[in-house]
Amino acid sequence: PFDVLVIGGGPSGASAAIYAARKGIRTGIVAERFGGQVLDTVGIENLIGTKYTEGPQLAANLEEHVKQYNVDIMNLQRAKRVEKKDLVEVELENGAVLKSKTVIISTGARWRNINVPGEAEFKNKGVAYCPHCDGPLFAGKHVAVIGGGNSGIEAAIDLAGVVKHVTVIEFMPELKADRVLLERVYSLPNVTVVKNAQTKEITGTDKVNGITYIDRATGEEHHIELEGVFVQIGLVPNTEWLGDTVERTPRGEIVVDKRGATSVPGVFAAGDCTDSAYKQIIISMGAGATAALGAFDYIIRETKTD
Ligand code: FAD
């Protein structure tokens, strides 16, 4: 059996595997797609210590770094079940059952798509999902934020300080964000809020040049010229496969303590799949390190040596 088995090959999983392997313990990593969300990212400017890198480059660096150590890498494998018995068992979709003293779940998250024409086509060409990451690329420009929940309104407030103008587009007749956020957003001179509006299309040529929406009250179609669209209709953790084994928040995020431990002894979690406050590369790498050290601590205290 493994001492530490990491599920997920994004920044948090890679970090957890390296920290575990450096303790000289038997470490494995199962990843559906090594690199994770980073593979879908173009420019990265906020990985501290690296002024600029690109997603595929960072993913390759993560894999190369993990390969420096004695880590059993099982890429292109999807986990479908985790169960605590004497050891923790992880079943893969190919039928294999892996056993480990500890498991670190780092299966990440995915941005919910709006699924309108133009979204996929202009991803990274004006269509963005992360204001902390891509906001500065739109300095002095006009952008839209789709979604008027907490993340959408936070994004609008954040972007308003960087870009020229923000138009928030909300499908429902009212914004769902917290009151303090609404007060703040309505106080900003360069934010316009459009409610009861259905996004129809993100337009562009080689990059985004506008957005078309339908006023749901009148059925009228409107077009706004702008350079960027931030889709903020939810970040969904990849935790459906866990069933009810570990405690999760109503949003599906795995609840972890300060050592990355979950509600199941021996099962740890890190990164975007957890209830961590913010979702970023550097934060998930830190969380992966924390979970690996937490797992190591657990092994030396709680499990029999063999
Ligand atoms: P992920 O990167 O989501 O990795 C999850 C891993 O788990 C993947 O390997 C996946 O294949 C695997 N997996 C999922 N389910 C299973 C399963 N059942 N079995 C096995 N494996 C599974 N952050 C920044 O800090 N700066 C940026 O500039 C930046 N730009 C971004 C741009 C885009 C377009 C996106 C989408 C995100 C961006 N982020 C950025 C956010 C950042 O990518 C994430 O916070 C980070 O990747 C989270 O790492 P993670 O390891 O927790 O999860």
Side-chain angles (χ1 to χ4, degrees):
F2 291 101
D3 290 309
V4 174
L5 180 61
V6 180
I7 316 293
S12 62
S15 169
I18 291 167
Y19 264 75
R22 285 173 58 80
K23 295 293 183 190
I25 55 182
R26 282 158 301 184
T27 305
I29 183 166
V30 174
E32 191 179 358
R33 196 170 68 122
F34 203 96
Q37 290 170 70
V38 161
L39 286 176
D40 303 323
T41 307
V42 182
I44 300 167
E45 301 180 352
N46 58 4
L47 178 57
I48 307 309
T50 302
K51 277 185 289 186
Y52 180 84
T53 186
E54 298 195 343
Q57 180 63 53
L58 177 59
N61 291 349
L62 291 175
E63 191 163 354
E64 189 192 328
H65 198 172
V66 171
K67 283 183 172 159
Q68 285 287 303
Y69 294 92
N70 189 14
V71 175
D72 189 350
I73 302 180
M74 292 157 273
N75 196 7
L76 308 177
Q77 299 293 338
R78 205 180 139 79
K80 69 168 186 186
R81 181 178 64 86
V82 58
E83 197 176 336
K84 167 85 179 166
K85 294 191 175 162
D86 211 10
L87 294 167
V88 188
E89 285 188 10
V90 175
E91 187 181 350
L92 305 186
E93 229 139 60
N94 70 10
V97 176
L98 307 171
K99 294 183 182 177
S100 184
K101 287 181 182 166
T102 65
V103 163
I104 299 174
I105 301 167
S106 56
T107 46
R110 56 190 188 271
W111 292 96
R112 189 171 278 142
N113 292 329
I114 178 101
N115 290 324
V116 295
E119 181 185 32
E121 194 182 341
F122 299 118
K123 201 170 187 177
N124 292 321
K125 295 176 189 144
V127 173
Y129 296 84
C130 174
H132 314 300
C133 315
D134 296 340
L137 302 178
F138 298 92
K141 296 183 174 163
H142 184 175
V143 303
V145 169
I146 301 178
N150 279 337
S151 53
I153 299 305
E154 279 169 13
I157 295 167
D158 173 355
L159 291 166
V162 182
V163 307
K164 188 161 125 214
H165 192 92
V166 183
T167 303
V168 176
I169 300 180
E170 165 60 42
F171 182 79
M172 300 302 282
E174 288 308 325
L175 300 178
K176 294 158 290 187
D178 297 342
R179 230 185 69 201
V180 304
L181 293 175
L182 294 180
E183 280 167 13
R184 176 101 187 103
V185 82
Y186 281 122
S187 76
L188 296 171
N190 62 340
V191 178
T192 313
V193 176
V194 183
K195 293 181 280 196
N196 212 10
Q198 181 183 356
T199 304
K200 190 181 166 207
E201 186 179 357
I202 298 168
T203 60
T205 46
D206 53 334
K207 53 188 188 344
V208 169
N209 66 15
I211 192 163
T212 307
Y213 67 89
I214 297 166
D215 180 330
R216 296 173 63 218
T218 63
E220 254 172 59
E221 197 170 295
H222 299 267
H223 183 79
I224 308 175
E225 284 181 16
L226 42 70
E227 284 103 346
V229 176
F230 284 81
V231 181
Q232 296 289 303
I233 55 172
L235 183 66
V236 190
N238 298 320
T239 57
E240 295 89 346
W241 64 282
L242 292 167
D244 50 16
T245 43
V246 299
E247 187 191 349
R248 287 181 286 155
T249 66
R251 291 169 56 185
E253 296 174 333
I254 302 169
V255 177
V256 289
D257 71 8
K258 64 184 179 189
R259 291 188 172 76
T262 70
S263 59
V264 178
V267 178
F268 294 75
D272 283 14
C273 64
T274 71
D275 63 349
S276 72
Y278 304 103
K279 286 21 185 193
Q280 292 282 278
I281 295 167
I282 196 163
I283 294 172
S284 60
M285 286 180 172
T290 300
L293 297 177
F296 182 68
D297 237 351
Y298 174 88
I299 290 167
I300 59 179
R301 284 161 203 264
E302 309 284 339
T303 63
K304 293 184 260 3
T305 43
D306 52 15

